[in-house]
């Protein structure tokens, strides 16, 4: 018989607060058109994007995260000292080590929490949310700060007609804490590594370091392949998350998919047969694709604008490079 005492965590976990930060600079499509042969109409019809935010040198990954985290902590009604762990999902923090989560934890005054980064691209926020839920139920932390943050403008090739218009910068954060009721459902997640080249970094860091590649690494993708995968496969994953939570599309109040592309969002809504009463996050129009930051930023906006309210039931799904995906059903804070 094991001599290890059982964990004494909370029975369930919930999202207690949400916060977001968008860089000050707003970049319209006209700026993108200075470097690619396209049109505003083409960009809007293909992606639904009209503007995106690009960070200044001062709006670093850490600085944006601190701003979003402060809002989420205040919204949750706790103090930074109550944060027991900080999880940061990002692909655009350029230091291999240390994790940016440790700097963020220090800057928000969180004391000595567990702090680490994860790399799961556009699914990273839901990955982090799932880890936070497990930590709270297991008992290793009472409150966990989950941040999705990106400076994708640093990894954008402005001459690449397929991707130059897609990406934006920003940070979104949530505080996850204990709950007496199940307010974060089971996560349906996975990967399809045989499709890893579909979305990729153009040049490995070691090749760039060795001088064999002069062009700075950027993100590129096979647009049509990504679109087909997202529309057909991710709708199945979203339905599986609904099934795992024991609800139907008619039970939903809100749908918050990764803000990759308006056409993908609209196609998923149609495939899932969501009723008109469901509020659909379409933050991509003015924020662009912010990868790991897109879901919490979209969540923050629909709550701030009154499109959704505290207590609403929301389906969230992230999907991206890897290819990786994760979906779950949550109660909005």
């Amino acid at each position: 018989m094991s001599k290890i005492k059982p964990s004494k965590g909370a029975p369930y976990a919930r999202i207690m607060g949400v916060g977001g930060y968008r860089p000050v600079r707003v970049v319209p499509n006209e700026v993108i058109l200075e470097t690619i042969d396209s049109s505003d109409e083409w960009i809007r019809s293909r992606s639904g994007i009209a503007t995106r935010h690009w960070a200044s040198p001062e709006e670093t990954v850490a600085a944006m995260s601190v701003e979003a985290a402060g809002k989420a902590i205040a919204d949750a009604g706790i103090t930074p000292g109550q944060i027991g762990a900080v999880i940061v999902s990002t692909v655009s923090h350029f230091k291999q080590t240390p994790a940016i989560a440790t700097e963020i934890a220090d800057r928000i005054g969180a004391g000595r929490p567990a702090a680490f980064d994860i790399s799961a691209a556009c699914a990273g926020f839901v990955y982090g949310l799932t880890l936070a839920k497990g930590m709270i139920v297991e008992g290793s932390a009472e409150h966990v700060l989950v941040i999705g943050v990106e400076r994708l403008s640093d990894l954008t090739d402005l001459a690449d007609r397929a991707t130059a218009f897609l990406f934006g910068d920003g940070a979104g954060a949530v505080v996850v804490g204990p709950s007496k009721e199940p307010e974060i459902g089971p996560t349906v997640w996975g990967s399809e590594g045989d499709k890893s080249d579909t979305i990729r970094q153009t040049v490995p860091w070691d090749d760039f370091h060795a001088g064999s590649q002069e062009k700075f690494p950027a993100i590129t993708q096979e647009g049509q392949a990504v679109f087909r995968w997202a529309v057909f496969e991710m709708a199945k994953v979203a339905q599986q998350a609904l099934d795992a939570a024991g609800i139907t599309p008619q039970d939903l109040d809100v749908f918050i998919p990764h803000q990759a592309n308006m056409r993908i969002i609209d196609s998923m809504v149609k495939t899932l047969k969501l009723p008109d009463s469901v509020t659909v996050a379409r933050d991509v129009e003015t924020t662009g694709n912010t990868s790991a930051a897109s879901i919490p930023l979209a969540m923050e906006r629909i709550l701030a604008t009154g499109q959704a309210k505290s207590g609403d039931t929301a389906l969230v799904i992230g999907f991206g490079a890897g290819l990786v995906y994760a979906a779950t059903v949550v109660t909005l804070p």
Side-chain angles (χ1 to χ4, degrees):
M1 177 180 288
S2 173
K3 297 179 180 179
I4 300 172
K5 293 192 299 183
S7 300
K8 294 183 179 180
Y12 304 106
R14 66 186 177 102
I15 299 175
M16 298 175 61
V18 61
Y21 180 82
R22 293 171 174 81
V24 174
R25 184 187 177 194
V26 177
V27 180
N29 288 338
E30 286 72 19
V31 172
I32 308 299
L33 297 176
E34 295 173 3
T35 55
I36 61 171
D37 181 17
S38 187
S39 67
D40 178 64
E41 180 183 3
W42 186 88
I43 293 174
R44 289 174 185 258
S45 65
R46 290 300 181 96
S47 67
I49 299 172
T51 61
R52 73 285 292 147
H53 295 254
W54 282 355
S56 68
E58 294 75 24
E59 292 169 313
T60 63
V61 167
M64 292 190 293
S65 297
V66 168
E67 291 291 331
K71 294 175 182 177
I73 292 169
D75 192 44
I78 65 170
T79 65
Q82 293 176 266
I83 298 295
V86 177
I87 303 172
V88 177
S89 177
T90 185
V91 299
S92 48
H93 170 52
F94 290 162
K95 287 184 179 179
Q96 192 72 34
T97 191
I100 194 64
T102 59
E103 177 183 341
I104 294 166
D106 179 64
R107 289 178 60 173
I108 65 173
R112 300 175 63 182
F116 58 95
D117 298 351
I118 59 174
S119 177
C122 307
F125 172 76
V126 184
Y127 271 55
L129 184 66
T130 303
L131 293 174
K133 171 189 172 183
M135 295 166 79
I136 289 161
V137 173
E138 186 268 342
S140 60
E142 186 174 9
H143 300 95
V144 181
L145 176 65
V146 180
I147 301 170
V149 57
E150 303 290 4
R151 271 183 56 120
L152 293 181
S153 57
D154 292 334
L155 288 168
T156 298
D157 181 355
L158 293 178
D160 183 352
R161 191 171 184 269
T163 61
F165 58 90
L166 284 176
F167 302 120
D169 303 336
V174 299
V175 171
V176 183
S179 175
K180 295 180 180 179
E181 297 180 354
E183 297 192 39
I184 301 176
T187 298
V188 176
W189 56 355
S191 65
E192 297 185 37
D194 59 318
K195 301 179 180 66
S196 60
D197 283 344
T198 310
I199 306 172
R200 63 191 183 278
Q201 185 171 305
T202 53
V203 179
W205 290 114
D206 53 352
D207 285 358
F208 183 73
H209 176 69
S212 60
Q213 299 287 337
E214 294 184 359
K215 199 168 185 178
F216 193 77
I219 298 173
T220 191
Q221 67 176 23
E222 298 174 17
Q224 287 303 314
V226 172
F227 180 86
R228 289 193 298 271
W229 176 76
V231 168
F232 296 109
E233 297 303 320
M234 292 305 97
K236 297 176 186 177
V237 172
Q239 183 61 57
Q240 290 169 12
L242 291 175
D243 294 342
I247 66 172
T248 69
Q250 287 68 36
D251 297 318
L252 274 182
D253 300 305
V254 183
F255 179 41
I256 310 177
H258 164 49
Q259 301 294 294
N261 179 303
M262 194 76 78
R263 291 170 62 206
I264 291 174
I265 294 171
D266 290 341
S267 295
M268 291 181 72
V269 169
K270 183 177 180 181
T271 302
L272 288 168
K273 298 180 180 179
L274 298 184
D276 293 339
S277 59
V278 175
T279 297
V280 180
R282 292 187 170 89
D283 192 45
V284 66
E285 180 180 3
T286 57
T287 307
N289 180 343
T290 56
S291 188
S294 79
I295 291 174
L297 279 174
M299 182 183 295
E300 184 254 358
R301 174 159 282 174
I302 61 170
L303 285 167
T305 57
Q307 295 174 271
K309 64 184 184 301
S310 174
D312 279 353
T313 300
L315 168 64
V316 297
I317 179 170
F319 45 87
L323 293 171
V324 295
Y325 56 86
T328 188
V329 175
V330 303
T331 300
L332 293 181

